[in-house]
Amino acid sequence: MKVVVSLEELWEARRSLKPPVGLVPTMGYLHEGHLSLVRAARQECASVVASIFVNPTQFSPTEDLSTYPRNLKRDLDLLEKEGTDLVWTPTEEIMYPADFQTWILVEEVTKPLEGAMRPGHFRGVTTVVAKLFNAVQPDKAYFGQKDAQQAAVIRQMVQDLSYKLQIVVCPIVREADGLAMSSRNIYLNPAERMAATVLYHSLSAAKQAYADGERQADKLRQMVRQNIEAEPLAKLQYISCANSLTLREIQDEIQGQALLSMAVFFGKTRLIDNMLIGD
Ligand code: AMP
């Protein structure tokens, strides 16, 4: 496995990779969720590239950039075990030189949900992902359904900017008790960690209600809200039942596929989770 930092080293290493090339962009501190993307890429592509970069432009000044967990040595060990061919770990100076002034802005699909709660977040995400795509030139890029809106936003960007690559979205990997894996789970204290299973349980209950015939989006939102509000350590930021492609909130009956998604605070830690319902 080759590890490169500079753009020049990356371009040089990229030249000898056999196609198709799969890219797995990450912010590091890897867990089984990230590794599931690497495994999918390994299965489908002749070469696997992973990037590790904690992207400062997708964090607001009040968010956890300075405390975001990092462990490069462990990440590289894990990536090597999964058969990754090339890892790119650019610095902030490489990605954002002092005179940086070009941004990618995806419009409608970035407005609700995470975009509404985290102004500027998706501008940072799309800009860095576009830079990763430009530098690595992958044939396929792998993202997690855990960040469902991010996947929708990237799909839109790929379509709008005519990138010649395929986006693959992999299912959410969960802990044994249902909590979606996330680098941020380590911020939770033991009581919060136990309480955090309420995300999965409330989404599962709503999915079951749908399976039992409930079609009113508002009923499902209400159900999740009540479950979250019953957990004293949880503070719901938003609950959404939206069209899974446009992410527009469904007003009445669910038709086709819907994305049930939410953000919940446990103390200062903000967790997101989601489930697709219908087809
Ligand atoms: P991050 O390092 O948090 O930026 O995540 C890198 C990629 O891993 C993103 O595409 C995430 O959606 C994906 N990912 C993070 N957690 C999970 C998970 N629990 N299951 C599947 N994919 C995940």
Side-chain angles (χ1 to χ4, degrees), residues 86-257:
L86 176 63
V87 184
W88 186 29
T89 62
T91 62
E92 283 189 27
E93 293 69 33
I94 290 169
M95 291 309 250
Y96 300 106
D99 61 346
F100 186 86
Q101 49 188 300
T102 304
W103 298 94
I104 304 289
L105 266 186
V106 175
E107 296 191 336
E108 292 312 310
V109 71
T110 66
K111 285 179 182 164
L113 311 176
E114 291 298 289
M117 297 302 152
R118 305 179 67 188
H121 170 67
F122 284 120
R123 181 183 83 147
V125 169
T126 46
T127 301
V128 82
V129 171
K131 286 175 68 81
L132 295 172
F133 287 174
N134 293 342
V136 175
Q137 307 256 315
D139 300 293
K140 293 185 169 198
Y142 293 79
F143 294 87
Q145 175 65 20
K146 165 79 184 350
D147 299 279
Q149 188 176 16
Q150 170 172 284
V153 168
I154 302 291
R155 273 193 203 286
Q156 189 68 44
M157 177 183 86
V158 162
Q159 187 181 311
D160 292 349
L161 297 185
S162 315
Y163 275 106
K164 189 167 166 279
L165 64 87
Q166 186 189 337
I167 299 297
V168 180
V169 180
C170 299
I172 301 178
V173 177
R174 298 179 179 280
E175 302 285 356
D177 63 4
L179 178 65
M181 289 193 185
S182 162
S183 309
R184 291 187 166 103
N185 290 349
I186 59 148
Y187 298 145
L188 301 169
N189 69 32
E192 290 167 346
R193 170 64 188 80
M194 267 171 50
T197 58
V198 72
L199 275 77
Y200 176 68
H201 290 133
S202 59
L203 288 171
S204 302
K207 191 168 176 145
Q208 185 59 47
Y210 177 89
D212 293 342
E214 181 57 73
R215 290 291 177 274
Q216 290 298 323
D218 220 31
K219 287 267 169 56
L220 297 183
R221 283 188 286 260
Q222 199 51 33
M223 227 180 131
V224 176
R225 179 178 299 278
Q226 280 168 1
N227 271 306
I228 300 287
E229 284 173 356
E231 170 48 63
L233 295 179
K235 196 165 178 296
L236 184 67
Q237 189 182 39
Y238 70 79
I239 168 70
S240 157
C241 183
N243 177 294
S244 65
L245 295 177
T246 64
L247 302 185
R248 275 195 212 107
E249 228 34 54
I250 298 170
Q251 300 305 335
D252 306 306
E253 276 208 349
I254 297 170
Q255 280 157 357
Q257 196 177 53

Side-chain angles (χ1 to χ4, degrees), residues 10 12-22 46-49 85-86 136:
L10 174 75
E12 173 63 28
R14 170 66 180 85
R15 243 181 273 146
S16 51
L17 293 180
K18 277 209 209 96
V21 172
S47 308
V48 177
V49 181
D85 297 292
L86 176 63
V136 175

